[in-house]
């Protein structure tokens, strides 16, 4: 165990070995509402990264509020964590 609960969770997640294992862990960890919110943010991040839709189009397609879309866009493009960007790039084979 680490000193930080967040770091401890990150270590646990980094140890997941398959999408199925990750899904099972997330289902145990989160409520259905939390899973929906997290999944929606990830979906929005992927749509924003493609760059071919406006916030309004993403809202109309997903039902996610424009406030959430704006927040995801800020973290995708301007915040120092770079978590969304790192995962999207990795999944698209752009890591290097």
């Amino acid at each position: 165990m680490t000193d930080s609960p967040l770091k401890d969770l990150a270590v646990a997640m980094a140890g997941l070995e398959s999408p199925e294992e990750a899904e099972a862990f997330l289902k145990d960890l989160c409520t259905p509402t939390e899973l929906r919110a997290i999944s929606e943010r990830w979906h929005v991040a992927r749509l924003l990264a493609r760059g071919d839709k406006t916030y309004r189009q993403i809202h109309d397609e997903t039902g996610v509020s424009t406030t959430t879309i704006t927040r995801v866009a800020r973290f995708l493009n301007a915040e120092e964590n770079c978590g969304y960007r790192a995962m999207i790039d990795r999944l698209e084979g752009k890591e290097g």
Side-chain angles (χ1 to χ4, degrees), residues 2-10:
T2 65
D3 293 338
S4 160
L6 178 58
K7 181 69 83 177
D8 194 46
L9 175 60

Side-chain angles (χ1 to χ4, degrees), residues 2-85:
T2 65
D3 293 338
S4 160
L6 178 58
K7 181 69 83 177
D8 194 46
L9 175 60
V11 168
M13 291 178 72
L16 296 167
E17 296 181 2
S18 70
E20 295 78 18
E21 195 173 88
E23 185 176 344
F25 182 69
L26 287 168
K27 285 179 176 178
D28 285 350
L29 183 67
C30 301
T31 67
T33 301
E34 291 166 336
L35 281 175
R36 187 172 33 261
I38 292 167
S39 298
E40 286 175 348
R41 288 183 202 136
W42 178 239
H43 184 62
V44 166
R46 303 285 306 264
L47 292 172
L48 287 167
R50 284 191 351 215
D52 61 349
K53 296 185 182 196
T54 66
Y55 290 13
R56 178 58 54 194
Q57 288 170 321
I58 292 171
H59 164 74
D60 291 345
E61 179 180 323
T62 65
V64 174
S65 73
T66 54
T67 302
T68 296
I69 295 166
T70 301
R71 181 180 183 279
V72 170
R74 187 180 78 238
F75 279 91
L76 177 66
N77 299 313
E79 295 294 327
E80 64 186 32
N81 297 325
C82 300
Y84 284 133
R85 178 60 57 199

Side-chain angles (χ1 to χ4, degrees), residues 85-96:
R85 178 60 57 199
M87 290 309 302
I88 289 168
D89 288 352
R90 182 171 300 147
L91 291 172
E92 293 177 357
K94 295 180 183 176
E95 184 183 49

